[in-house]
Every structure is written in C-alpha cells, then in structure tokens.
Amino acid sequence: MAETKRSWEKRLAGEPDELTVDFVESLSVDRRLYKYDIVGSIAHSQMLAEQKLITKDELKAIKGGLIEISREIERGQFEFAKKYEDIHLAIEAALVAKIGEAGKKLHTGRSRNDQVATDIRLWMRDAIEILQAKLNGLQRAFVKLAGKYTEGVMPGYTHLQRAQPIVIASYLLSFVEQFERDITRLKNCSELLNISPLGCGAVAGSTLPLERKSTAKRLGFADISYNSIDAVSDRDFCAEFIFDCALIATHLSRLAEDWIIYSSDEFGFVRIDDSYCTSSSMMPQKRNPDVLELIRGKTASVYGSLIAILTILKGQPSGYNRDLQEDKIHIFSASDTVKASLDMAQAIVSHTKFNTKKISAGLEEGFLDATALAEYLVGKGVAFREAHGIVGSLVAYCEKANKKLAELSLDELKKYSASIEPDVYENLGAVNVVNKYATEGAAGPKQAKEQIAYWNKQLAE
Ligand code: ARG
C-alpha cells in the first residue's frame, strides 16, 4: 500500500509517539468489522452520488476500490498497518492509495463516530442471528434427548435435597424454556439496535444535504436515529447484547453444574461421552468432565465483559469519547465465548445418556412421594395444613422404622389418619406419583409428551 499522509497530520505537529500509536490503535480488534465497514461505505457513497455530492464516476471508482479491498482482506493480502489506528482509516487510506482523488471524497459528511456506531450495529445483527441459530440447535438436542426419557423418573430437587419425583424429559425440557427466553431477549435486542446512526457525523450532523433514510434503507435498518448526539454515544445495545450473552452463559453454567454433579460416582445419573471428558495426568482411573467445567468457568469472562461495558459507559460525558473504542473487545469476547460454549453444549447434550437403572434403584430414598400423599388426603377432605402435619409425622415414623411410605400397612397408615383408604397405594412410590400429576406444566410423562410435541413443531419452523 502506498504511503498516505493522514489528513490530521496538518493539525498536529509531527508524528505521534510510538507508544501512542500502539496504545490508541484498535485495528487489531476491529479488523473483523471490515465487511460491515465496506458495506456501510458503499451505502454512504451511493447516497452521496444520489445527492450529487460526488459524481457517478467517482461512485463507480469508490465502489470498485472498496470491493477490491474487501477481496484483498479476504485473501489475506491486505496490510493492516496500525498507524491507521482502526479499520475505518485503514480501509479509507487503502482506497485513496488505490483510486486517488475520488477516494478522498468517501468521508464526505461522515465521521468515524457515526461510522463505527453503524458498523457495530451491522455486525451485531449478524452475531445475534448466529447465536439464535446455535440456541435453536441446542434446543433441538435437548428435545431429542427428552424424547428418550418421557417415562424415566428421577428425583426433582430443591435446595439440592430430594423434593418430588419428575420425569427426566421434564428436567431436560426446563433448559429448552431457558434458551427460548434467551432467543427472545436477543430478538428484542436486535429490534432495538436496528436503527441507523449514519449521517450523524461527529456529534451534530452535517450542513450537507445528506439523505439519511436512503443509507438506512440500503443497510436494512428499520429507521434512523433522530438525535445525532445520542446516536454517536449510544452503546446501550452493546450492554444489552453482552447481558443477553451473560444470561446464556448463566444457563449453560447451571446445566454444566448439574451434569458435573450428576456424572459423579456419588450420583451416577448421567454418563458424559468420553469425547467430552479428559483424564488425569496422574490418576489413571479418572474421567473428568473438564468441558463442562470450562463452560462453567468461561461464564466468568462474559460477566467480566458485562461489568466492563457498563463501566466504560458510566462516567462518559455526552457525545463520543474514545473510551467507546473499548466496547468492541467486550462484545466480541462475549459473543465468541458464548458461541463456543453453545457448540460444546450441543455436542455434549447430543451424546449424553441417563443411567435410568441407577436412578431408579435409588428413587424411593428421600420420601419423594410425601407431597403427593398430603394431596391425596386433601382429596379425602382433609385440610392441607392438617394433611401436611399428618404426612410429616408419618415420615418421622418411617425414618425410625426404616421403611418407605409405600411399605407401610394400611393399619399403620390409618393410625395417623382415618381418611386413608386402600386406594392410597396408587399415590405412593415415585412412578405412581408422576403419573398422577394433573396440572399443566407439571413434571409428569403426559405433560412432557405434550411439550415435546409442541417443541418439535416449534423448532421445525
Ligand atoms: N476506533 C474508534 C472506535 O472504535 C473509531 C472512532 C474514533 N473516533 C474518534 N473521533 N477518534 O470507537
């Protein structure tokens, strides 16, 4: 690339210090915006031609030059010189070097401030679509796995203590719900960010007759921003995007935590496929769930990015400040981390098996059927508080006698409540209980099958 003097070198005395060049550059980070920068520049130059601010020939030269630059970057033939600070100046300088005078007109009525705000929005629209597709893929993997376990019963936990029996399918579908909300949150984020800042210039707009709606339309924005000061300083959407990533990471981290526990010998509920485990350099017997641990661990850096973007924003005076350049490190990092974790999670979910034998063997521990017994008594006309007390006493008795509720004789049961009749046994035992669940959204086989049918239809679209 030919040496191009930067126009502000006329304003500043001499070259910037080498330390400064290294410190202010963002090219190493924002070079991945090149496609969006070029698309934005083409839209801007087309508008300039429409408005007769440049000639048709100049437009042709600019467009041709930009497309060539795009190809050079793709082929790895572009020199990213950090003295150009960022991707915007690097591309502009390359254009001037390539086509001469016409290239110097590209930046008419534009500042890097509205340019970068535009580029990020364009990038983020795509990033959101990618994340949504990955979330969908993970949802499909969960629904498929759930289909195998609509009858398999496991303990449902609260406080990590055995609470009520649930079918494994319902447990798995609980993640599908979480990821559905993540998809919706990203959709909301995408809708809110989809406005064009282009034409807002540095902070106040322009005295030139720019047609902002024309560039907005070309770039697929739903509208333009209506306040130039806000347009160049708004990074709300970046904070929101990272928050959405942070919540996805949270959901993945909770899944990871569950399965790290469930795959331990103490639980033995799930088997994580060997492809997603590592061994120990010292202990030959080990199968460690490192991938899950890293999904959990990487959540930290996404949270770090969330705090970072909020902190970048909080102290800034109105208008553009260079602090904003730091935004990209965090949106890229959050997006990259979550993307990688989603890919891993989908692979793991697709290959995980539940050890239904082992789970069933321990299923009658912990009085999972106690609540159902209290509800049985409600059905016999006993007030719930009373029923709660009766079952509490029965559980205490069972603990002493080392028996399960289902193992008690009718006589033993009747000592605690005269309302208990022979049909009580249909309500005892974990498997009986899940089949009795009557409420919508309950964790029984009937509800799980309905939900699987719903999700299969939903996710096919
Ligand atoms: N590299 C900058 C960023 O990412 C572009 C805008 C710089 N604008 C400025 N007036 N210095 O935010």
Side-chain angles (χ1 to χ4, degrees):
M1 190 199 303
E3 280 294 302
T4 319
K5 237 189 169 350
R6 292 160 295 185
S7 53
W8 65 83
E9 279 170 18
K10 303 223 162 92
R11 167 71 181 81
L12 301 177
E15 290 282 311
D17 188 283
E18 212 178 303
L19 269 179
T20 307
V21 172
D22 281 345
F23 194 70
V24 302
E25 72 89 20
S26 58
L27 191 54
S28 51
V29 174
D30 61 23
R31 49 192 283 177
R32 65 194 270 183
L33 288 176
Y34 80 89
K35 262 190 223 150
Y36 304 101
D37 199 72
I38 286 173
V39 164
S41 287
I42 291 176
H44 181 67
S45 56
Q46 282 167 326
M47 181 276 292
L48 291 177
E50 273 165 16
Q51 298 302 104
K52 311 251 175 322
L53 289 162
I54 59 172
T55 66
K56 278 189 188 148
D57 285 345
E58 285 165 340
L59 169 63
K60 216 173 141 203
I62 291 173
K63 232 173 115 176
L66 287 170
I67 289 168
E68 245 178 71
I69 291 168
S70 166
R71 294 212 181 104
E72 283 165 18
I73 296 176
E74 263 155 43
R75 286 195 219 111
Q77 292 165 343
F78 189 86
E79 193 213 337
F80 289 96
K82 58 185 175 192
K83 69 167 184 169
Y84 293 118
E85 288 193 14
D86 54 31
I87 189 66
H88 325 295
L89 290 176
I91 289 175
E92 194 187 334
L95 183 70
V96 174
K98 208 179 265 297
I99 67 167
E101 285 307 300
K104 294 185 184 168
K105 294 196 173 178
L106 171 63
H107 214 49
T108 307
R110 189 174 71 170
S111 154
R112 277 185 293 161
N113 298 355
D114 59 341
Q115 189 178 359
V116 70
T118 306
D119 290 6
I120 303 174
R121 286 167 194 265
L122 293 175
W123 171 84
M124 201 171 282
R125 283 195 320 211
D126 283 357
I128 285 176
E129 272 187 30
I130 294 168
L131 285 172
Q132 286 174 322
K134 290 188 186 296
L135 285 161
N136 271 147
L138 180 54
Q139 284 181 309
R140 278 193 206 98
F142 266 111
V143 174
K144 192 163 172 219
L145 192 63
K148 297 182 187 158
Y149 300 108
T150 52
E151 303 290 338
V153 179
M154 67 181 272
Y157 293 89
T158 66
H159 314 272
L160 200 55
Q161 307 289 317
R162 292 183 164 224
Q164 289 180 289
I166 59 177
V167 288
I168 296 170
S170 295
Y171 162 71
L172 294 169
L173 292 172
S174 73
F175 291 99
V176 180
E177 298 283 342
Q178 297 171 52
F179 296 126
E180 186 66 14
R181 291 194 297 278
D182 292 331
I183 291 169
T184 306
R185 254 185 293 278
L186 285 169
K187 178 171 168 272
N188 294 342
C189 180
S190 188
E191 278 169 13
L192 214 49
L193 72 79
N194 198 25
I195 53 128
S196 175
L198 209 54
C200 287
V203 67
S206 171
T207 56
L208 296 168
L210 308 177
E211 187 48 80
R212 295 191 53 211
K213 291 203 167 137
S214 160
T215 43
K217 203 167 158 219
R218 283 180 197 282
L219 296 170
F221 286 114
D223 203 351
I224 57 166
S225 53
Y226 288 96
N227 183 296
S228 62
I229 307 153
D230 178 50
V232 295
S233 52
D234 170 26
R235 295 292 185 277
D236 295 4
F237 63 101
C238 294
E240 198 173 343
F241 174 76
I242 299 174
F243 174 76
D244 292 354
C245 289
L247 218 43
I248 296 169
T250 306
H251 293 152
L252 292 173
S253 188
R254 293 187 72 177
L255 165 69
E257 172 72 357
D258 272 2
W259 288 15
I260 289 164
I261 295 172
Y262 289 178
S263 63
S264 67
D265 277 335
E266 284 72 9
F267 270 75
F269 283 11
V270 300
R271 180 156 177 101
I272 309 299
D273 196 83
D274 278 352
S275 341
Y276 311 110
C277 291
T278 60
S279 195
S280 157
S281 58
M282 184 182 178
M283 300 168 284
Q285 86 285 12
K286 294 280 275 181
R287 269 180 96 254
N288 294 329
D290 293 41
V291 174
L292 289 169
E293 289 166 321
L294 281 166
I295 288 177
R296 187 177 58 186
K298 283 174 189 288
T299 304
S301 85
V302 186
Y303 289 5
S305 288
L306 179 59
I307 292 299
I309 187 77
L310 291 170
T311 312
I312 288 166
L313 296 178
K314 77 170 271 293
Q316 285 190 51
S318 283
Y320 178 88
N321 303 276
R322 193 64 175 262
D323 315 40
L324 290 176
Q325 177 166 291
E326 294 288 305
D327 59 2
K328 281 168 286 300
I329 294 172
H330 302 291
I331 56 174
F332 292 159
S333 161
S335 167
D336 291 347
T337 303
V338 168
K339 261 196 288 184
S341 293
L342 282 169
D343 284 341
M344 266 333 311
Q346 183 179 340
I348 291 181
V349 171
S350 305
H351 294 91
T352 291
K353 291 193 174 75
F354 277 73
N355 188 346
T356 47
K357 259 198 201 137
K358 169 102 195 256
I359 299 172
S360 296
L363 205 53
E364 300 310 329
E365 296 301 324
F367 303 100
L368 291 166
D369 47 3
T371 308
L373 177 56
E375 288 180 348
Y376 164 83
L377 286 166
V378 168
K380 299 288 176 189
V382 181
F384 180 75
R385 268 291 150 247
E386 190 122 344
H388 187 271
I390 294 166
V391 179
S393 307
L394 271 167
V395 167
Y397 170 74
C398 281
E399 272 180 341
K400 266 193 219 130
N402 195 24
K403 283 185 175 177
K404 321 278 181 240
L405 288 166
E407 290 167 356
L408 298 176
S409 68
L410 195 58
D411 285 345
E412 281 173 303
L413 288 163
K414 271 194 177 296
K415 268 188 221 150
Y416 290 82
S417 169
S419 307
I420 297 180
E421 292 172 42
D423 63 348
V424 69
Y425 294 105
E426 290 159 32
N427 298 269
L428 295 177
V431 174
N432 281 338
V433 171
V434 293
N435 285 305
K436 289 277 177 189
Y437 287 143
T439 48
E440 259 183 273
K446 181 174 154 279
Q447 293 88 344
K449 282 173 203 160
E450 280 168 15
Q451 285 302 304
I452 288 171
Y454 166 81
W455 283 117
N456 274 327
K457 212 173 139 216
Q458 190 79 2
L459 295 169
E461 277 159 21

